[in-house]
Amino acid sequence: MSIVASGPTRSSTHPVGKGVGPLLRGWREQRRVSQLELALRADSSARHISFIETGRSRPSEEMVLRLAEHLDVPVRERNALLLAAGYAPHYPETPLDDPSMDALRQGMERLIQGYEPYPALVVDATYTVLAANRGIAMLLEGVCESLLTPPLNAMRLTLHPEGLAPRIRNHREWRDHLLAQMERQIALDRSEPLRALYEEVAAYPVPEQEQEGEEEGEGDVDGGVEHVPHFALPLQIEHGGRVLSFISSISTFNTPMDVTVAELAIETFLPADPATVKYLQSLVS
């Protein structure tokens, strides 16, 4: 699956009319940083930070960016802070299908294709699937067609009762892991689209076989999964009459200078046991 353009542009979650001071105060309080601590980090004074937050002083463009940097504000929201302060956005948001993104698209495509036969995909900030390799396509065999209609969403595909959920042997643990991951992102980014997605997938019913297992006190039975020591929570999923086990790893770009790039993530699935390695390699031998 080739890299595709992302969905509609996600606007900032903060209204510009609110003013840069309250917005900065909100980010500072969320990060649990005092005015004095922020002032020391940004080579300023607590008095100046206080004046900015109360609207008594208008920060320079450089100061807005400096404070946003030390508060670890997402790139998209740094643009919102600049707009609220009366400045132009600093970071562009370039569509993935723009010619200037050719090198990025081709690089990500080579990366995930080179990872085959192991699964790998590229998603944006709301888990829209922008690219996936044949390893992912293999796992999606049998998924309901409605979930495979673009734009695909990785969270829906994984947790929907007509998606991968019925085949995930450790569904309860994997579901808890994914929801906790989304909760951390919402706390950091305060993204309303991501929160809406979280509420949707969190409300999906638990697969029937898991409910039955819990009623019988067998919710933790391995059911034939190979016993090997794991260094991280594995995704254990049925495919072709066998159970495959993967460890997930997520990569992002270091110091992104574009909103689109800042919100990209490459997720790769490393085989967690010898049986999974052997089976996947047999598919391409």
Side-chain angles (χ1 to χ4, degrees):
M1 184 187 300
S2 299
I3 296 283
V4 296
S6 56
T9 299
R10 177 169 70 87
S11 61
S12 166
T13 58
H14 305 297
V16 173
K18 190 173 183 180
V20 68
L23 294 180
L24 281 169
R25 183 176 65 248
W27 284 110
R28 180 180 61 76
E29 291 174 347
Q30 181 171 327
R31 298 298 190 253
R32 298 182 180 180
V33 176
S34 68
Q35 290 182 341
L36 178 58
E37 184 179 355
L38 179 58
L40 292 173
R41 293 181 186 180
D43 193 24
S44 183
S45 67
R47 178 185 175 87
H48 186 44
I49 299 298
S50 176
F51 277 20
I52 290 174
E53 291 185 354
T54 58
R56 295 179 64 184
S57 177
R58 179 182 181 231
S60 67
E61 180 178 5
E62 179 186 0
M63 176 59 76
V64 172
L65 290 172
R66 193 188 315 164
L67 294 176
E69 175 78 20
H70 289 292
L71 290 173
D72 195 25
V73 175
V75 171
R76 179 183 296 278
E77 301 305 329
R78 296 184 192 190
N79 279 345
L81 289 172
L82 288 168
L83 285 170
Y87 302 110
H90 181 77
Y91 301 94
E93 184 174 1
T94 311
L96 267 180
D97 57 0
D98 189 273
S100 65
M101 292 290 203
D102 284 351
L104 174 67
R105 290 197 313 274
Q106 293 166 8
M108 290 191 296
E109 287 173 352
R110 285 194 298 268
L111 180 62
I112 64 175
Q113 290 170 5
Y115 199 69
E116 294 175 352
Y118 309 145
L121 72 164
V122 181
V123 298
D124 66 11
T126 54
Y127 293 94
T128 298
V129 178
L130 305 178
N133 67 6
R134 287 180 291 182
I136 292 291
M138 173 201 67
L139 293 181
L140 294 180
E141 292 173 3
V143 167
C144 179
E145 285 296 325
S146 63
L147 293 173
L148 298 176
T149 302
L152 279 65
N153 186 277
M155 287 296 177
R156 290 193 185 99
L157 286 167
T158 304
L159 298 178
H160 196 283
E162 294 183 335
L164 298 177
R167 291 196 278 124
I168 297 177
R169 298 295 289 271
N170 60 336
H171 176 268
R172 180 174 53 191
E173 294 84 0
W174 194 252
R175 175 181 182 275
D176 289 348
H177 152 68
L178 292 182
L179 293 180
Q181 176 179 303
M182 295 178 74
E183 288 171 354
R184 290 192 297 270
Q185 288 178 262
I186 291 169
L188 288 173
D189 296 352
R190 301 195 292 203
S191 165
E192 290 304 322
L194 187 58
R195 179 175 296 279
L197 177 64
Y198 172 88
E199 293 174 352
E200 175 191 332
V201 299
Y204 289 160
V206 174
E208 290 183 7
Q209 63 267 33
E210 184 170 336
Q211 291 176 335
E212 294 170 359
E214 290 175 355
E215 290 173 1
E216 299 169 3
E218 299 177 353
D220 296 324
V221 173
D222 290 324
V225 177
E226 182 178 2
H227 290 277
V228 295
H230 295 301
F231 49 86
L233 178 68
L235 166 65
Q236 296 170 336
I237 184 168
E238 294 179 7
H239 180 270
R242 52 180 52 79
V243 177
L244 306 180
S245 186
F246 299 97
I247 300 295
S248 169
S249 174
I250 298 176
S251 302
T252 57
F253 288 90
N254 185 39
T255 319
M257 301 301 294
D258 187 285
V259 174
T260 299
V261 178
E263 296 178 349
L264 293 176
I266 303 171
E267 184 166 13
T268 54
F269 293 85
L270 177 72
D273 58 46
T276 300
V277 173
K278 183 178 179 180
Y279 173 69
L280 293 177
Q281 290 182 344
S282 73
L283 297 179
V284 295
S285 61

